[in-house]
Amino acid sequence: MKKGIVVLGAFLAFIMVNCEGESAEVEGVVEKNETPEVEQTSVVETEVQKDSMNWTGTYEGSRPCADCEALETELTLSEDKEFKLVEKYKGKSEEAVVRTGKFSFDSTTMNVVLEGEGLPRIKLAENAVVFLNLEGEEVKGETEDLYRLMKKERSLFQTEWELVEFRGQPVTDSLTQLIPTLIIDTINNRASGNASCNQYSGNYQTDGMLLLSFEEMVATKKGCLGANIEQAYLTTLNKVDNYTISNNILSLNKGKMATLMKFEAVEK
């Protein structure tokens, strides 16, 4: 009888140990899977946020200076993760200090890390960069705006613009073999460019802030082979009555309707 009790007790003990082992194993798996998912989501969200800001470009402004009137600053961030920082000590020296190099993003924040000794800490903002203090924090208070450099936009004038979107459709080789361009020349008071086959030119009217319109464009008469949108492009150009520039993208619009065309500034 005692032997039967001992056997039964051992069997029950085996069941309890086995159940506890399985329970601990399941809990361990759940806990192990949850942590990477949270970290992965954080990194993905940060990458999406950085991309949506369209951070490439040039930022300019004046920062506070301890021993000069102002620290005139221009910072360029390129798509291949290279930077150019130009600083001029106003009222102290006419010579600009130029530093170049590579940069990276902090893995969990919007901070831009400039590679090199003694370089400032920077944080991305909407159409701007913010220079941080020595502790890597934003300066707060009445002077906080002085540490913010705004993104420099291309001018409507004397810039070569290349068509990237036409009536809501991306411009591709199947749409036109030669991409239309636009230059608004203030010296000769003419708008000109390539219409996807022939060269065109004509007068324009603008207030330099919002309103923009084109008069009847005159184009050369070269025969056009292959895909082109010349006639539709010139007709649409005559419908434009206002414009906006954001992130170096020129949008030509009619009233409050959807954008008719979008152009991107050609880098030179």
Side-chain angles (χ1 to χ4, degrees):
M1 184 68 179
K2 290 182 179 179
K3 184 178 180 180
I5 294 174
V6 172
V7 171
L8 179 61
F11 177 73
L12 292 174
F14 170 78
I15 292 176
M16 292 175 64
V17 171
N18 189 51
C19 290
E20 289 176 356
E22 291 179 351
S23 175
E25 184 178 353
V26 170
E27 291 176 358
V29 170
V30 172
E31 184 178 354
K32 185 176 180 180
N33 285 342
E34 286 179 350
T35 303
E37 288 179 356
V38 172
E39 293 177 352
Q40 184 176 3
T41 301
S42 176
V43 172
V44 169
E45 287 177 350
T46 301
E47 291 299 328
V48 170
Q49 189 176 4
K50 281 187 296 195
D51 290 341
S52 68
M53 284 190 173
N54 192 14
W55 44 262
T56 58
T58 299
Y59 304 81
E60 60 182 1
S62 295
R63 295 152 51 206
C65 179
D67 57 351
C68 66
E69 296 178 20
L71 187 55
E72 297 179 345
T73 308
E74 182 178 274
L75 174 67
T76 301
L77 301 177
S78 65
E79 192 173 352
D80 55 359
K81 302 289 183 66
E82 292 186 348
F83 76 88
K84 180 180 180 181
L85 178 63
V86 181
E87 296 174 313
K88 186 185 241 184
Y89 294 82
K90 185 177 180 180
K92 182 178 180 181
S93 173
E94 292 298 320
E95 185 177 353
V97 178
V98 181
R99 288 179 283 183
T100 61
K102 293 282 188 179
F103 72 89
S104 59
F105 291 109
D106 187 290
S107 59
T108 57
T109 69
M110 304 302 296
N111 289 359
V112 177
V113 181
L114 305 181
E115 297 180 7
E117 187 176 352
L119 289 168
R121 300 185 183 187
I122 299 166
K123 181 178 180 180
L124 289 177
E126 191 68 34
N127 289 324
V129 291
V130 179
F131 281 69
L132 308 176
N133 60 24
L134 295 177
E135 288 72 38
E137 300 173 343
E138 292 188 50
V139 177
K140 298 297 183 182
E142 295 181 356
T143 63
E144 62 181 88
D145 288 341
L146 299 178
Y147 293 88
R148 180 179 295 262
L149 268 60
M150 301 306 298
K151 194 169 188 179
K152 183 179 180 180
E153 297 287 4
R154 286 298 190 95
S155 171
L156 171 67
F157 312 109
Q158 315 305 128
T159 298
E160 183 177 6
W161 299 97
E162 189 173 78
L163 188 68
V164 293
E165 183 179 302
F166 183 67
R167 295 179 178 175
Q169 184 177 356
V171 176
T172 60
D173 291 340
S174 60
L175 188 66
T176 179
Q177 293 181 345
L178 194 60
I179 299 176
T181 59
L182 171 65
I183 299 175
I184 298 181
D185 182 2
T186 57
I187 298 175
N188 299 303
N189 196 32
R190 299 285 287 178
S192 62
N194 163 63
S196 82
C197 176
N198 284 285
Q199 299 296 312
Y200 70 92
S201 66
N203 295 326
Y204 69 90
Q205 297 291 332
T206 182
D207 62 355
M209 295 182 292
L210 175 65
L211 302 180
L212 176 64
S213 61
F214 301 91
E215 297 181 9
E216 194 69 31
M217 296 289 121
V218 177
T220 56
K221 302 296 183 181
K222 181 179 70 175
C224 303
L225 300 176
N228 70 81
I229 55 172
E230 180 165 297
Q231 292 303 316
Y233 172 80
L234 293 173
T235 299
T236 304
L237 202 61
N238 288 332
K239 296 179 180 178
V240 172
D241 60 18
N242 71 89
Y243 76 97
T244 58
I245 299 177
S246 178
N247 294 327
N248 292 325
I249 297 294
L250 168 65
S251 298
L252 300 185
N253 319 301
K254 179 175 175 60
K256 296 182 179 180
M257 297 170 57
T259 297
L260 300 176
M261 294 184 280
K262 287 185 180 180
F263 295 79
E264 187 174 34
V266 176
E267 297 294 338
K268 298 197 175 179

